[in-house]
Amino acid sequence: MKKIIPYLYIVFGLIILVDTATQLLADKSTYVIIASWKTDDKLTFGAVKALISFVFMAVGYNRLKALRW
């Protein structure tokens, strides 16, 4: 199970990135970032979601790197 968890973090980060891209391509008036946190600005939405995604991918990468040593 320890060997699968880093990959799950990376896949989850990629899913967030793809979801963000599809939501940005759809022209909406309000974007939901997390639960009830909403914004009207596309740039803020994209930046926050990309940051969250990269954090998940970085954690997954670091755990994967730690397993290989």
Side-chain angles (χ1 to χ4, degrees):
M1 188 67 173
K2 282 187 175 183
K3 293 182 180 182
I4 295 173
I5 291 176
Y7 293 110
L8 291 177
Y9 274 106
I10 293 170
V11 168
F12 189 65
L14 290 173
I15 289 171
I16 293 173
L17 264 182
V18 170
D19 181 55
T20 301
T22 57
Q23 287 186 17
L24 284 176
L25 292 176
D27 198 23
K28 297 181 177 181
S29 60
T30 304
Y31 298 95
V32 179
I33 297 174
I34 299 173
S36 64
W37 188 17
K38 298 178 182 178
T39 183
D40 296 332
D41 188 24
K42 278 187 175 184
L43 184 61
T44 303
F45 172 75
V48 170
K49 292 285 270 196
L51 178 67
I52 293 168
S53 173
F54 287 126
V55 166
F56 272 104
M57 288 191 290
V59 168
Y61 177 74
N62 286 339
R63 284 185 172 214
L64 186 64
K65 199 166 92 172
L67 279 178
R68 293 190 179 184
W69 296 108

